[in-house]
Amino acid sequence: MTEIDPAAAQYSPVPSPRFEQRPYGRPAVAWRPVLGVAAVTAMVHLLVATRFGWHRDEFYYVISGRHLDWGYVDQPPLVPLLARLAADLPGGVLPLRLLAIAAEIGCVLLASVLTAELGGHRRAQILAAAAVAACPVFVSAALFFGTTVVDQLVWVAVLVLTARALRRCSTRAWLAAGTVAGLGLQAKDTLAVLLVGIAVGVLLFRRDALRSRGPWLACGAAVVIAAPNIIWDMRHQWANLRMARELAEQQGGALGALTHVPVLLVVLAGPPLIVLWYAGVRQLISRAGSEHRWLLAATVTVVLLFTVSGGRVYYAAPALAALFAAGAVRVETAATARGRFGWPAAVATTAIIALVIGLPVLGPRASTELRPINAQPMETYGWPRFVDQIARAAAPLPADAPIFASNYGEAGAVTILGPARGLHRQVLSGHNNYLLWGPPPGTPDTVLCVGQWDITYLHRFWSNVTEIAPITLPTGLTDQETAQHAAIYLCTQPHGTWAQLWPGLRHLD
């Protein structure tokens, strides 16, 4: 009988049947349970996808898509293009919501793939996928289709593809990462901050990768794909940078951004899952995680850059998915009986918090009460009522009298919802990219101005300004329009032509 050497058995190259290995040393993705997490996530979102209605930003993306260009003053062109294509399908706002949910599901699935790239097996992959599915910042982003939810998908995809390229050391893998990065830059400029963070991480901890041509070709591919939008922005006096500065100033610059960091940790992550982030940091600074320490450097760089520049706190959130993945690997490695029960409870608790504050599951009155925490659900409520009030006010006016809205949400609502209510009028605004779509020809002799206008401001452009009616929601409900006084004004006797008045009517915010 042959004697078996215990030492040889201990270091046998045969993989464990529990932990199947794939080529290049990455564990196999546990697709069946991960797809189960994704299916539950999709079902929950679908149940409330159209409970209220359109979001103000969705109106704007669709209208922007109808004015196709290589850029806009506040965004690149990809999301408006997708929004226009979705809005052309039957079903009203539902096709846009399906795109948002698909992006959220993509984040969930990619979180499990990233965990596998970090060496995590089945349990770690399920935990990371569930953490992203339950995380408030991901849940609330999928409330409606826009740049934020697409940006989250692209960030996680770039992290996955970069980790894959560093593992495989192949030009093809790097080109895949560069291609997705270029497409992502056509969706939202904030991806550039993640790319800077990745560059810092690679320079600090994976300089060996820079000796190959792969990373440099990836950079070139990203720049080439993003070039049309960059050229557009340059021709428009770097409008996107001016918009970013304006938004940063509105929230108080770097100091204001610093005060919002606790929001990122507590509200956007969900209190129970902060522990998983902490576990991810410990994993990446440990010897076991040294190969992937570039992820920690990238995440820290991203948070610091957004803080110093005064960027909005949720911009940095998708990078923190890397900490979920790394934390899940650490939890799996140090599995205990308590952890087997504790982590599902933490994810479930966070999911409940996320659903309550991020989606319209409680109805409009409860959503109004939660506006100080997250105002977005109420921004999807009440737009048909808003348009009905304008239609009644416009009915007695001449057919050629246009509607001038104080912001893009109001203008988009009238344009998209108005025709079904018999409201067929020219709709104008000076807000954000609407400022490039004007001025119209002629003189604004009779104009219906709607929204949050200051009557003193309107008197700068028209001698006769009369408030026809306030814009209201049912008693006890509040959204952005009704949080301050919003009304419908009849404006006559202009102080010049549209072209003369237009510079004073334009605003970026």
Side-chain angles (χ1 to χ4, degrees):
M1 182 174 180
T2 305
E3 184 177 354
I4 299 176
D5 183 358
Q10 182 178 357
Y11 296 101
S12 170
V14 179
S16 165
R18 182 183 174 191
F19 291 157
E20 179 189 351
Q21 298 288 333
R22 284 288 177 88
Y24 306 100
R26 190 201 75 179
V29 177
W31 285 115
R32 182 174 295 178
V34 169
L35 286 171
V37 173
V40 172
T41 303
M43 183 169 55
V44 170
H45 279 277
L46 284 170
L47 287 174
V48 294
T50 59
R51 184 176 186 188
F52 286 177
W54 289 74
H55 189 279
R56 64 173 58 250
D57 288 356
E58 287 172 317
F59 290 131
Y60 181 49
Y61 297 134
V62 172
I63 299 301
S64 296
R66 292 177 181 175
H67 295 79
L68 282 178
D69 206 340
W70 280 112
Y72 306 89
V73 299
D74 45 7
Q75 62 193 306
L78 182 58
V79 169
L81 172 61
L82 295 176
R84 174 187 175 172
L85 295 175
D88 287 341
L89 298 174
V93 75
L94 180 60
L96 283 90
R97 299 295 163 79
L98 293 178
L99 283 178
I101 295 169
E104 163 79 350
I105 297 309
C107 292
V108 171
L109 298 177
L110 287 171
S112 66
V113 178
L114 181 59
T115 307
E117 290 290 344
L118 302 187
H121 295 270
R122 184 176 184 272
R123 185 182 175 205
Q125 294 168 23
I126 296 171
L127 177 56
V132 169
C135 182
V137 73
F138 286 95
V139 172
S140 59
L143 168 67
F144 65 95
F145 179 68
T147 55
T148 299
V149 71
V150 174
D151 198 42
Q152 290 179 347
L153 175 63
V154 172
W155 279 48
V156 183
V158 169
L159 289 172
V160 168
L161 292 172
T162 303
R164 179 173 175 265
L166 287 169
R167 174 173 55 85
R168 290 195 167 190
C169 302
S170 73
T171 300
R172 181 178 296 180
W174 278 110
L175 282 175
T179 300
V180 171
L183 292 172
L185 289 170
Q186 292 282 24
K188 195 168 184 179
D189 295 327
T190 50
L191 180 66
V193 179
L194 175 64
L195 299 180
V196 171
I198 290 174
V200 171
V202 171
L203 282 170
L204 289 176
F205 299 108
R206 292 300 304 271
R207 281 192 297 273
D208 57 296
L210 300 178
R211 300 190 188 102
S212 68
R213 63 180 183 174
W216 308 106
L217 290 175
C219 290
V223 170
V224 168
I225 295 172
N229 177 246
I230 296 172
I231 294 170
W232 182 95
D233 205 24
M234 180 177 63
R235 288 179 174 175
H236 290 80
Q237 294 77 49
W238 302 105
N240 285 181
L241 293 178
R242 287 189 285 116
M243 186 71 187
R245 285 197 299 269
E246 180 67 29
L247 294 176
E249 290 174 3
Q250 288 178 12
Q251 76 161 14
L255 184 59
L258 188 61
T259 61
H260 286 84
V261 170
V263 177
L264 176 65
L265 297 177
V266 177
V267 178
L268 300 186
L273 292 185
I274 294 176
V275 181
L276 190 58
W277 278 357
Y278 174 69
V281 173
R282 292 189 62 187
Q283 173 68 14
L284 293 174
I285 65 175
S286 70
R287 180 177 297 179
S290 60
E291 181 183 355
H292 308 290
R293 204 166 288 164
W294 63 272
L295 275 171
L296 181 59
T299 301
V300 171
T301 301
V302 164
V303 173
L304 287 176
L305 286 176
F306 278 128
T307 301
V308 170
S309 65
R312 294 182 174 178
V313 64
Y314 63 84
Y315 289 169
L320 299 174
L323 298 187
F324 280 151
V329 173
R330 187 171 185 85
V331 168
E332 181 180 61
T333 304
T336 62
R338 178 186 298 178
R340 282 195 291 271
F341 298 100
W343 284 111
V347 170
T349 302
T350 305
I352 293 171
I353 295 171
L355 292 176
V356 169
I357 68 175
L359 299 179
V361 297
L362 299 179
R365 295 197 180 277
S367 295
T368 293
E369 296 297 324
L370 291 170
R371 283 190 75 249
I373 299 174
N374 181 19
Q376 299 310 313
M378 281 306 294
E379 298 311 308
T380 67
Y381 182 84
W383 289 109
R385 177 188 174 99
F386 170 85
V387 177
D388 286 340
Q389 293 174 78
I390 296 171
R392 288 193 295 270
L397 299 181
D400 60 348
I403 294 171
F404 192 81
S406 67
N407 63 56
Y408 60 64
E410 299 160 353
V414 175
T415 301
I416 292 175
L417 303 182
R421 290 161 172 78
L423 193 56
H424 301 277
R425 293 178 182 271
Q426 183 181 29
V427 182
L428 305 167
S429 180
H431 186 208
N432 288 11
N433 215 76
Y434 273 90
L435 64 84
L436 297 182
W437 301 330
T443 303
D445 296 316
T446 302
V447 179
L448 201 66
C449 290
V450 301
Q452 293 180 336
W453 294 110
D454 182 277
I455 196 166
T456 304
Y457 174 81
L458 292 177
H459 271 298
R460 291 168 50 189
F461 308 99
W462 291 274
S463 293
N464 189 6
V465 178
T466 304
E467 181 175 333
I468 297 177
I471 295 171
T472 62
L473 285 177
T475 303
L477 303 185
T478 306
D479 61 3
Q480 181 176 317
E481 300 306 309
T482 57
Q484 302 176 28
H485 181 67
I488 304 169
Y489 300 90
L490 179 61
C491 302
T492 58
Q493 299 177 21
H495 298 163
T497 64
W498 274 116
Q500 291 169 330
L501 301 182
W502 198 253
L505 292 168
R506 301 182 303 176
H507 59 105
L508 284 173
D509 53 58

